[in-house]
Short mmCIF file of all heavy atoms in Angstrom, two decimals:
data_model
loop_
_atom_site.label_atom_id
_atom_site.label_comp_id
_atom_site.label_asym_id
_atom_site.label_seq_id
_atom_site.Cartn_x
_atom_site.Cartn_y
_atom_site.Cartn_z
N TRP A 1 0.81 -1.20 0.01
CA TRP A 1 0.01 -0.01 -0.01
C TRP A 1 0.85 1.26 0.01
O TRP A 1 1.90 1.32 0.62
CB TRP A 1 -0.88 0.04 1.25
CG TRP A 1 -1.91 -1.09 1.30
CD1 TRP A 1 -1.71 -2.37 1.68
CD2 TRP A 1 -3.28 -0.97 0.89
NE1 TRP A 1 -2.89 -3.10 1.55
CE2 TRP A 1 -3.87 -2.25 1.07
CE3 TRP A 1 -4.10 0.06 0.41
CZ2 TRP A 1 -5.20 -2.52 0.79
CZ3 TRP A 1 -5.39 -0.18 0.14
CH2 TRP A 1 -5.95 -1.46 0.34
N VAL A 2 0.35 2.28 -0.69
CA VAL A 2 0.86 3.62 -0.57
C VAL A 2 -0.37 4.51 -0.31
O VAL A 2 -1.39 4.33 -0.96
CB VAL A 2 1.62 4.10 -1.84
CG1 VAL A 2 0.79 4.02 -3.07
CG2 VAL A 2 2.16 5.49 -1.65
N TYR A 3 -0.27 5.42 0.67
CA TYR A 3 -1.47 6.12 1.11
C TYR A 3 -1.18 7.57 1.40
O TYR A 3 -0.04 7.97 1.63
CB TYR A 3 -2.12 5.45 2.34
CG TYR A 3 -1.21 5.38 3.55
CD1 TYR A 3 -1.18 6.39 4.49
CD2 TYR A 3 -0.33 4.30 3.68
CE1 TYR A 3 -0.35 6.32 5.57
CE2 TYR A 3 0.50 4.25 4.80
CZ TYR A 3 0.49 5.24 5.75
OH TYR A 3 1.35 5.19 6.82
N ALA A 4 -2.25 8.36 1.35
CA ALA A 4 -2.18 9.76 1.67
C ALA A 4 -2.62 9.98 3.11
O ALA A 4 -3.67 9.50 3.53
CB ALA A 4 -3.06 10.59 0.74
N GLU A 5 -1.80 10.69 3.87
CA GLU A 5 -2.17 11.00 5.26
C GLU A 5 -2.99 12.25 5.36
O GLU A 5 -3.77 12.42 6.31
CB GLU A 5 -0.89 11.18 6.10
CG GLU A 5 -0.07 9.93 6.30
CD GLU A 5 1.13 10.16 7.16
OE1 GLU A 5 2.04 10.92 6.80
OE2 GLU A 5 1.15 9.59 8.27
N ARG A 6 -2.90 13.15 4.36
CA ARG A 6 -3.62 14.41 4.38
C ARG A 6 -4.29 14.65 3.02
O ARG A 6 -3.83 14.11 2.00
CB ARG A 6 -2.68 15.57 4.69
CG ARG A 6 -2.03 15.48 6.07
CD ARG A 6 -1.05 16.62 6.34
NE ARG A 6 0.11 16.50 5.43
CZ ARG A 6 1.17 15.76 5.69
NH1 ARG A 6 1.24 15.04 6.80
NH2 ARG A 6 2.15 15.73 4.81
N ALA A 7 -5.31 15.43 3.01
CA ALA A 7 -6.06 15.72 1.81
C ALA A 7 -5.16 16.35 0.75
O ALA A 7 -5.32 16.13 -0.47
CB ALA A 7 -7.25 16.67 2.09
N ALA A 8 -4.19 17.11 1.18
CA ALA A 8 -3.26 17.77 0.26
C ALA A 8 -2.45 16.79 -0.53
O ALA A 8 -1.87 17.11 -1.58
CB ALA A 8 -2.38 18.76 1.02
N GLU A 9 -2.32 15.55 -0.04
CA GLU A 9 -1.52 14.51 -0.75
C GLU A 9 -2.33 13.70 -1.74
O GLU A 9 -1.75 12.91 -2.49
CB GLU A 9 -0.89 13.58 0.29
CG GLU A 9 0.07 14.26 1.24
CD GLU A 9 0.51 13.38 2.41
OE1 GLU A 9 -0.14 12.36 2.68
OE2 GLU A 9 1.53 13.73 3.02
N LEU A 10 -3.64 13.89 -1.78
CA LEU A 10 -4.49 13.10 -2.65
C LEU A 10 -4.19 13.36 -4.15
O LEU A 10 -4.24 12.41 -4.94
CB LEU A 10 -5.95 13.35 -2.34
CG LEU A 10 -6.43 12.74 -1.05
CD1 LEU A 10 -7.88 13.18 -0.74
CD2 LEU A 10 -6.39 11.20 -1.11
N PRO A 11 -3.91 14.59 -4.59
CA PRO A 11 -3.58 14.79 -6.00
C PRO A 11 -2.41 13.98 -6.48
O PRO A 11 -2.42 13.47 -7.60
CB PRO A 11 -3.33 16.30 -6.12
CG PRO A 11 -4.15 16.90 -4.99
CD PRO A 11 -4.07 15.90 -3.88
N ALA A 12 -1.40 13.84 -5.65
CA ALA A 12 -0.25 13.00 -6.00
C ALA A 12 -0.65 11.53 -6.16
O ALA A 12 -0.19 10.84 -7.04
CB ALA A 12 0.87 13.16 -4.98
N LEU A 13 -1.53 11.11 -5.29
CA LEU A 13 -2.05 9.72 -5.36
C LEU A 13 -2.84 9.53 -6.65
O LEU A 13 -2.75 8.50 -7.30
CB LEU A 13 -2.92 9.44 -4.15
CG LEU A 13 -3.05 7.99 -3.68
CD1 LEU A 13 -1.72 7.48 -3.23
CD2 LEU A 13 -4.06 7.88 -2.55
N ASP A 14 -3.63 10.55 -7.02
CA ASP A 14 -4.40 10.49 -8.26
C ASP A 14 -3.45 10.40 -9.48
O ASP A 14 -3.72 9.62 -10.41
CB ASP A 14 -5.29 11.72 -8.41
CG ASP A 14 -6.37 11.78 -7.37
OD1 ASP A 14 -6.75 10.72 -6.84
OD2 ASP A 14 -6.86 12.89 -7.08
N ARG A 15 -2.38 11.15 -9.46
CA ARG A 15 -1.41 11.11 -10.56
C ARG A 15 -0.76 9.72 -10.70
O ARG A 15 -0.56 9.19 -11.76
CB ARG A 15 -0.35 12.18 -10.40
CG ARG A 15 -0.87 13.61 -10.60
CD ARG A 15 0.27 14.60 -10.73
NE ARG A 15 1.04 14.72 -9.48
CZ ARG A 15 0.73 15.56 -8.50
NH1 ARG A 15 -0.36 16.34 -8.61
NH2 ARG A 15 1.44 15.63 -7.41
N GLU A 16 -0.46 9.12 -9.52
CA GLU A 16 0.13 7.79 -9.52
C GLU A 16 -0.83 6.77 -10.10
O GLU A 16 -0.47 5.88 -10.89
CB GLU A 16 0.55 7.42 -8.11
CG GLU A 16 1.29 6.09 -8.02
CD GLU A 16 2.72 6.15 -8.49
OE1 GLU A 16 3.19 7.26 -8.90
OE2 GLU A 16 3.43 5.13 -8.45
N GLN A 17 -2.12 6.88 -9.69
CA GLN A 17 -3.13 5.98 -10.24
C GLN A 17 -3.28 6.11 -11.74
O GLN A 17 -3.32 5.09 -12.45
CB GLN A 17 -4.48 6.24 -9.56
CG GLN A 17 -5.57 5.31 -10.04
CD GLN A 17 -6.91 5.59 -9.36
OE1 GLN A 17 -7.04 6.52 -8.55
NE2 GLN A 17 -7.95 4.83 -9.68
N ARG A 18 -3.30 7.34 -12.27
CA ARG A 18 -3.42 7.54 -13.70
C ARG A 18 -2.22 6.96 -14.44
O ARG A 18 -2.36 6.32 -15.49
CB ARG A 18 -3.57 9.03 -14.03
CG ARG A 18 -4.93 9.59 -13.67
CD ARG A 18 -5.12 10.96 -14.32
NE ARG A 18 -4.14 11.94 -13.90
CZ ARG A 18 -4.29 12.72 -12.83
NH1 ARG A 18 -5.41 12.62 -12.08
NH2 ARG A 18 -3.38 13.60 -12.48
N ALA A 19 -1.03 7.18 -13.91
CA ALA A 19 0.18 6.64 -14.52
C ALA A 19 0.12 5.13 -14.63
O ALA A 19 0.47 4.52 -15.63
CB ALA A 19 1.43 7.08 -13.77
N CYS A 20 -0.29 4.47 -13.52
CA CYS A 20 -0.37 3.03 -13.50
C CYS A 20 -1.44 2.51 -14.48
O CYS A 20 -1.23 1.51 -15.14
CB CYS A 20 -0.63 2.54 -12.10
SG CYS A 20 0.74 2.80 -10.96
N GLU A 21 -2.55 3.21 -14.53
CA GLU A 21 -3.59 2.80 -15.45
C GLU A 21 -3.10 2.87 -16.90
O GLU A 21 -3.39 1.98 -17.74
CB GLU A 21 -4.84 3.64 -15.25
CG GLU A 21 -5.57 3.37 -13.95
CD GLU A 21 -6.69 4.34 -13.68
OE1 GLU A 21 -6.77 5.38 -14.39
OE2 GLU A 21 -7.49 4.10 -12.75
N GLU A 22 -2.42 3.94 -17.23
CA GLU A 22 -1.89 4.11 -18.59
C GLU A 22 -0.86 3.03 -18.93
O GLU A 22 -0.73 2.63 -20.10
CB GLU A 22 -1.28 5.50 -18.74
CG GLU A 22 -2.34 6.61 -18.69
CD GLU A 22 -1.71 7.99 -18.65
OE1 GLU A 22 -0.47 8.05 -18.64
OE2 GLU A 22 -2.47 8.99 -18.59
N LEU A 23 -0.13 2.56 -17.93
CA LEU A 23 0.91 1.58 -18.15
C LEU A 23 0.39 0.16 -18.06
O LEU A 23 1.10 -0.83 -18.32
CB LEU A 23 2.07 1.75 -17.14
CG LEU A 23 2.86 3.02 -17.27
CD1 LEU A 23 3.72 3.24 -16.03
CD2 LEU A 23 3.72 3.02 -18.51
N GLY A 24 -0.87 -0.02 -17.60
CA GLY A 24 -1.42 -1.36 -17.44
C GLY A 24 -0.96 -2.03 -16.20
O GLY A 24 -1.01 -3.29 -16.11
N ILE A 25 -0.48 -1.28 -15.18
CA ILE A 25 -0.07 -1.86 -13.91
C ILE A 25 -1.27 -2.04 -13.01
O ILE A 25 -2.04 -1.11 -12.81
CB ILE A 25 0.97 -0.89 -13.24
CG1 ILE A 25 2.21 -0.82 -14.12
CG2 ILE A 25 1.36 -1.46 -11.87
CD1 ILE A 25 3.22 0.25 -13.64
N PRO A 26 -1.46 -3.21 -12.44
CA PRO A 26 -2.65 -3.47 -11.61
C PRO A 26 -2.59 -2.68 -10.29
O PRO A 26 -1.56 -2.74 -9.57
CB PRO A 26 -2.61 -4.99 -11.39
CG PRO A 26 -1.18 -5.36 -11.55
CD PRO A 26 -0.60 -4.45 -12.57
N TRP A 27 -3.67 -2.00 -9.97
CA TRP A 27 -3.81 -1.30 -8.70
C TRP A 27 -5.23 -1.43 -8.24
O TRP A 27 -6.17 -1.61 -9.02
CB TRP A 27 -3.50 0.22 -8.88
CG TRP A 27 -2.05 0.53 -9.02
CD1 TRP A 27 -1.32 0.54 -10.15
CD2 TRP A 27 -1.18 0.86 -7.96
NE1 TRP A 27 0.00 0.84 -9.89
CE2 TRP A 27 0.12 1.08 -8.53
CE3 TRP A 27 -1.29 1.05 -6.59
CZ2 TRP A 27 1.23 1.45 -7.79
CZ3 TRP A 27 -0.21 1.40 -5.83
CH2 TRP A 27 1.04 1.59 -6.42
N GLU A 28 -5.43 -1.30 -6.92
CA GLU A 28 -6.75 -1.19 -6.29
C GLU A 28 -6.78 0.08 -5.52
O GLU A 28 -5.83 0.43 -4.82
CB GLU A 28 -7.00 -2.40 -5.39
CG GLU A 28 -7.01 -3.74 -6.16
CD GLU A 28 -7.03 -4.96 -5.23
OE1 GLU A 28 -7.11 -4.74 -3.98
OE2 GLU A 28 -6.98 -6.05 -5.72
N ARG A 29 -7.91 0.83 -5.62
CA ARG A 29 -7.98 2.12 -5.01
C ARG A 29 -9.02 2.19 -3.89
O ARG A 29 -10.09 1.62 -3.99
CB ARG A 29 -8.35 3.18 -6.08
CG ARG A 29 -8.49 4.62 -5.57
CD ARG A 29 -7.17 5.23 -5.16
NE ARG A 29 -7.30 6.49 -4.49
CZ ARG A 29 -7.16 7.69 -5.05
NH1 ARG A 29 -6.86 7.73 -6.37
NH2 ARG A 29 -7.29 8.79 -4.39
N THR A 30 -8.65 2.80 -2.80
CA THR A 30 -9.57 3.20 -1.76
C THR A 30 -9.60 4.71 -1.70
O THR A 30 -8.94 5.36 -2.53
CB THR A 30 -9.19 2.62 -0.36
OG1 THR A 30 -7.96 3.24 0.03
CG2 THR A 30 -9.01 1.09 -0.42
N ASP A 31 -10.30 5.28 -0.76
CA ASP A 31 -10.41 6.75 -0.73
C ASP A 31 -9.05 7.42 -0.65
O ASP A 31 -8.80 8.41 -1.33
CB ASP A 31 -11.29 7.17 0.48
CG ASP A 31 -12.75 6.83 0.30
OD1 ASP A 31 -13.12 6.62 -0.89
OD2 ASP A 31 -13.49 6.81 1.27
N ASN A 32 -8.16 6.89 0.17
CA ASN A 32 -6.87 7.57 0.41
C ASN A 32 -5.68 6.69 0.21
O ASN A 32 -4.61 6.97 0.73
CB ASN A 32 -6.85 8.18 1.79
CG ASN A 32 -6.73 7.12 2.89
OD1 ASN A 32 -7.24 6.02 2.71
ND2 ASN A 32 -6.07 7.42 3.95
N ALA A 33 -5.84 5.59 -0.53
CA ALA A 33 -4.72 4.68 -0.72
C ALA A 33 -4.80 3.93 -2.06
O ALA A 33 -5.86 3.73 -2.62
CB ALA A 33 -4.67 3.67 0.45
N LEU A 34 -3.62 3.52 -2.49
CA LEU A 34 -3.49 2.61 -3.63
C LEU A 34 -2.84 1.33 -3.19
O LEU A 34 -1.86 1.38 -2.46
CB LEU A 34 -2.66 3.26 -4.76
CG LEU A 34 -3.24 4.42 -5.53
CD1 LEU A 34 -2.19 5.02 -6.43
CD2 LEU A 34 -4.42 3.95 -6.37
N CYS A 35 -3.39 0.21 -3.63
CA CYS A 35 -2.81 -1.09 -3.30
C CYS A 35 -2.34 -1.77 -4.56
O CYS A 35 -3.11 -1.84 -5.56
CB CYS A 35 -3.86 -1.96 -2.59
SG CYS A 35 -3.31 -3.67 -2.30
N MET A 36 -1.13 -2.27 -4.58
CA MET A 36 -0.64 -3.14 -5.64
C MET A 36 -0.80 -4.55 -5.18
O MET A 36 -0.11 -4.97 -4.24
CB MET A 36 0.80 -2.83 -6.01
CG MET A 36 1.30 -3.65 -7.19
SD MET A 36 3.03 -3.25 -7.68
CE MET A 36 2.78 -1.68 -8.50
N PRO A 37 -1.68 -5.34 -5.80
CA PRO A 37 -1.98 -6.68 -5.29
C PRO A 37 -0.90 -7.68 -5.68
O PRO A 37 -0.05 -7.45 -6.55
CB PRO A 37 -3.29 -7.02 -5.96
CG PRO A 37 -3.26 -6.26 -7.24
CD PRO A 37 -2.56 -4.98 -6.93
N ASP A 38 -0.90 -8.82 -4.99
CA ASP A 38 -0.11 -9.97 -5.33
C ASP A 38 1.40 -9.67 -5.33
O ASP A 38 2.14 -10.09 -6.22
CB ASP A 38 -0.51 -10.55 -6.69
CG ASP A 38 -0.03 -11.99 -6.88
OD1 ASP A 38 0.12 -12.71 -5.88
OD2 ASP A 38 0.22 -12.39 -8.03
N GLN A 39 1.85 -8.96 -4.31
CA GLN A 39 3.26 -8.74 -4.10
C GLN A 39 3.75 -9.78 -3.07
O GLN A 39 3.16 -10.84 -2.99
CB GLN A 39 3.53 -7.30 -3.62
CG GLN A 39 2.97 -6.24 -4.60
CD GLN A 39 3.58 -6.38 -5.98
OE1 GLN A 39 4.77 -6.04 -6.18
NE2 GLN A 39 2.81 -6.78 -6.96
N GLY A 40 4.75 -9.53 -2.29
CA GLY A 40 5.21 -10.60 -1.40
C GLY A 40 5.93 -10.11 -0.17
O GLY A 40 6.42 -8.97 -0.11
N ARG A 41 5.95 -10.94 0.85
CA ARG A 41 6.77 -10.75 2.04
C ARG A 41 7.40 -12.09 2.43
O ARG A 41 6.82 -13.12 2.16
CB ARG A 41 5.97 -10.15 3.21
CG ARG A 41 4.86 -11.05 3.75
CD ARG A 41 4.13 -10.36 4.87
NE ARG A 41 3.02 -11.13 5.36
CZ ARG A 41 2.11 -10.66 6.21
NH1 ARG A 41 2.17 -9.43 6.66
NH2 ARG A 41 1.13 -11.44 6.64
N PHE A 42 8.59 -12.01 3.06
CA PHE A 42 9.29 -13.23 3.37
C PHE A 42 10.34 -12.96 4.41
O PHE A 42 10.56 -11.82 4.82
CB PHE A 42 9.91 -13.84 2.09
CG PHE A 42 11.05 -13.07 1.47
CD1 PHE A 42 11.95 -13.72 0.66
CD2 PHE A 42 11.24 -11.71 1.71
CE1 PHE A 42 13.01 -13.03 0.08
CE2 PHE A 42 12.30 -11.05 1.13
CZ PHE A 42 13.19 -11.69 0.32
N ASP A 43 11.01 -14.02 4.85
CA ASP A 43 12.17 -13.90 5.74
C ASP A 43 13.41 -13.86 4.80
O ASP A 43 13.80 -14.87 4.28
CB ASP A 43 12.24 -15.12 6.66
CG ASP A 43 13.38 -15.08 7.65
OD1 ASP A 43 14.45 -14.49 7.28
OD2 ASP A 43 13.28 -15.64 8.71
N PRO A 44 14.03 -12.70 4.62
CA PRO A 44 15.11 -12.58 3.68
C PRO A 44 16.37 -13.35 4.04
O PRO A 44 17.09 -13.85 3.20
CB PRO A 44 15.38 -11.07 3.61
CG PRO A 44 14.93 -10.57 4.94
CD PRO A 44 13.72 -11.42 5.29
N ARG A 45 16.61 -13.49 5.33
CA ARG A 45 17.77 -14.25 5.79
C ARG A 45 17.58 -15.73 5.46
O ARG A 45 18.50 -16.38 4.91
CB ARG A 45 17.97 -14.04 7.30
CG ARG A 45 18.82 -15.04 8.02
CD ARG A 45 20.32 -14.78 7.89
NE ARG A 45 21.03 -15.51 8.89
CZ ARG A 45 22.31 -15.43 9.11
NH1 ARG A 45 23.05 -14.64 8.39
NH2 ARG A 45 22.92 -16.18 10.04
N ARG A 46 16.45 -16.29 5.84
CA ARG A 46 16.20 -17.73 5.53
C ARG A 46 16.22 -17.96 4.03
O ARG A 46 16.73 -19.01 3.56
CB ARG A 46 14.84 -18.15 6.09
CG ARG A 46 14.79 -18.36 7.58
CD ARG A 46 13.39 -18.68 8.06
NE ARG A 46 12.84 -19.84 7.34
CZ ARG A 46 11.53 -20.09 7.27
NH1 ARG A 46 10.65 -19.24 7.73
NH2 ARG A 46 11.13 -21.18 6.63
#
């Protein structure tokens, strides 16, 4: 997730969403956040 903490940050989030849509990058949008699905987390040392 990448999210806006304040209303003033929402335009930057909108620009990021438009850029991803134009590139065909999958995103999911909520009111103040963008989620890139199907990423990953792991134990890097193991």
Side-chain angles (χ1 to χ4, degrees):
W1 295 81
V2 58
Y3 58 92
E5 293 184 293
R6 297 177 294 275
E9 297 172 343
L10 288 173
L13 207 64
D14 294 336
R15 289 192 294 272
E16 185 76 0
Q17 181 180 1
R18 286 195 299 271
C20 291
E21 289 172 348
E22 292 171 0
L23 294 167
I25 297 173
W27 284 88
E28 298 170 2
R29 179 69 189 261
T30 66
D31 289 342
N32 70 328
L34 288 172
C35 174
M36 183 177 285
D38 199 28
Q39 303 301 290
R41 65 182 176 189
F42 70 157
D43 180 330
R45 162 82 163 184
R46 285 176 57 202

